[in-house]
């Protein structure tokens, strides 16, 4: 092992054969492994005969653990950071620790491997030239719908994580906000025995999942195709809403001019729409 460092080590998301030889070497050589759940990770360590001590670093104690890990590093001992599955920091604890270690002047070394959303996206059949990972949506329906509305016009593929007890509610909100015909994909139990990746319009996807309770179990990645850009001569709902508000108080000419300033849309297009709506 080279210089003292915090090694951010990816672990399998299901299939243990996805563990890389480099990850095993690093976990064997560091002084201590910072694990999200030591009991869960102990099984992985036993499988690969890794004897390195484990300490817990999770969302409730991460800030308190920073000083302890910095002490290891200051004494010239390297530390590995792992999560329960996949790559640490990606919708898992670790950001606070990684930033603190870097700010203290120590190296942070990535040891790449599995990431659930990348694994899902590459086999989904949805566009992957541009995408954004959005993490977990809010738990409550009203907040979740607002979360989706803020993203409904984005032109690239959207990727989310979701829990099994909210999967149907989340798909219902997606169909309402994005529209029932927007293509989407759900991936569950990736690399495991019951791996499923299913792509369909949101309404069909919701019906398919609601009809089979077995498909409502496991770890989920939800992916939604980006919005199709509207033609240049077509006004979106928000522009028409602004125009209607202004028309209630102002003339067609004034309304279209002010709406152009607010929305950035050409005045001529807004003026024609205002004539049709007045």
């Amino acid at each position: 092992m080279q210089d003292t460092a915090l090694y951010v080590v990816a672990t399998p998301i299901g299939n243990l054969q996805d563990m890389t030889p480099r990850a095993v070497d690093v976990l064997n050589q560091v002084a201590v492994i910072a694990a999200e759940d030591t009991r869960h990770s102990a099984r992985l360590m036993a499988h690969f005969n890794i004897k390195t001590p484990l300490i817990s670093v999770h969302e409730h104690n991460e800030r308190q653990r920073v000083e302890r890990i910095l002490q290891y590093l200051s004494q010239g001992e390297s530390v590995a950071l792992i999560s329960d599955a996949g790559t640490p920091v990606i919708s898992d604890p670790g950001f606070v620790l990684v930033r603190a270690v870097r700010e203290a002047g120590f190296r942070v070394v990535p040891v790449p491997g599995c990431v659930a959303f990348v694994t899902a996206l590459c086999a989904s059949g949805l566009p992957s030239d541009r995408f954004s990972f959005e993490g977990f949506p809010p738990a409550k329906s009203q907040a979740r719908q607002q979360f989706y509305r803020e993203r409904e016009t984005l032109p690239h593929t959207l990727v989310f994580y979701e829990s099994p007890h909210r999967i149907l509610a989340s798909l219902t909100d997606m169909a309402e906000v994005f529209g029932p015909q927007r293509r989407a994909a759900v991936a569950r139990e990736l690399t495991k025995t019951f791996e499923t990746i299913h792509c369909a319009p949101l309404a069909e996807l919701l019906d398919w999942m609601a009809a089979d309770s077995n498909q409502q179990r496991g770890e989920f990645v939800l992916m939604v195709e980006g919005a199709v850009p509207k033609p240049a001569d077509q006004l979106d709902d928000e522009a028409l809403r602004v125009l209607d508000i202004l028309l209630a108080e102002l003339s067609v000419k004034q309304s279209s001019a002010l709406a152009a300033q607010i929305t950035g849309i050409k005045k001529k297009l807004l003026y024609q729409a205002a004539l049709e709506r007045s």
Side-chain angles (χ1 to χ4, degrees):
M1 183 169 291
Q2 298 178 350
D3 298 338
T4 301
L6 172 69
Y7 289 84
V8 181
V9 181
T11 56
I13 58 177
N15 192 322
L16 294 182
Q17 293 183 48
D18 293 331
M19 187 78 162
T20 68
R22 183 185 175 202
V24 174
D25 287 345
V26 168
L27 294 179
N28 269 315
Q29 294 180 49
V30 294
V32 66
I33 299 169
E36 185 179 2
D37 184 333
T38 56
R39 293 169 299 179
H40 178 92
S41 295
R43 297 191 290 272
L44 181 69
M45 300 303 114
H47 181 85
F48 290 100
N49 197 30
I50 297 168
K51 306 296 186 181
T52 307
L54 297 168
I55 62 171
S56 65
V57 176
H58 48 71
E59 61 179 330
H60 302 298
N61 74 352
E62 184 176 359
R63 294 184 184 277
Q64 290 72 35
R65 289 297 198 206
V66 166
E67 288 304 317
R68 183 173 176 183
I69 291 172
L70 289 177
Q71 286 178 2
Y72 278 105
L73 296 171
S74 65
Q75 293 166 5
E77 296 181 307
S78 291
V79 177
L81 172 67
I82 63 174
S83 61
D84 287 348
T87 301
V89 186
I90 308 300
S91 280
D92 275 324
F95 164 72
V96 172
L97 175 60
V98 168
R99 172 173 280 187
V101 168
R102 291 185 64 84
E103 289 178 347
F106 296 103
R107 294 173 65 230
V108 177
V109 179
V111 181
C114 296
V115 183
F117 77 82
V118 173
T119 304
L121 184 60
C122 71
S124 68
L126 295 178
S128 58
D129 55 332
R130 283 191 62 204
F131 66 90
S132 60
F133 173 61
E134 304 291 339
F136 281 92
K140 301 293 185 181
S141 181
Q142 185 174 355
R144 188 166 55 238
Q145 288 187 23
Q146 180 59 34
F147 179 79
Y148 290 149
R149 275 194 291 271
E150 291 168 358
R151 292 156 175 78
E152 67 175 309
T153 60
L154 294 177
H156 53 265
T157 300
L158 304 171
V159 185
F160 308 90
Y161 284 162
E162 190 53 280
S163 59
H165 61 280
R166 290 199 296 266
I167 186 66
L168 286 180
S170 200
L171 280 171
T172 300
D173 289 339
M174 279 186 171
E176 181 174 335
V177 172
F178 295 119
Q181 296 307 309
R182 180 86 70 96
R183 286 192 67 78
V186 61
R188 59 179 287 272
E189 295 295 88
L190 290 166
T191 78
K192 301 176 186 176
T193 302
F194 298 106
E195 175 182 277
T196 305
I197 303 172
H198 190 70
C199 186
L202 274 165
E204 293 181 25
L205 197 61
L206 177 58
D207 290 342
W208 169 80
M209 182 162 286
D212 186 351
S213 61
N214 288 324
Q215 298 298 343
Q216 300 167 33
R217 301 172 182 172
E219 303 291 332
F220 290 92
V221 182
L222 290 176
M223 297 154 283
V224 181
E225 194 166 22
V228 177
K230 292 183 180 296
D233 60 349
Q234 183 177 335
L235 299 179
D236 59 25
D237 292 340
E238 179 61 18
L240 293 174
R241 187 184 72 84
V242 170
L243 192 59
D244 286 339
I245 292 172
L246 295 172
L247 284 170
E249 303 292 337
L250 303 171
S251 68
V252 167
K253 183 177 181 180
Q254 292 172 315
S255 297
S256 56
L258 190 53
Q261 294 179 33
I262 295 171
T263 64
I265 296 173
K266 292 182 178 180
K267 178 181 174 182
K268 182 178 180 180
L269 186 60
L270 289 160
Y271 183 80
Q272 183 59 42
L275 286 175
E276 295 172 358
R277 299 170 82 84
S278 61

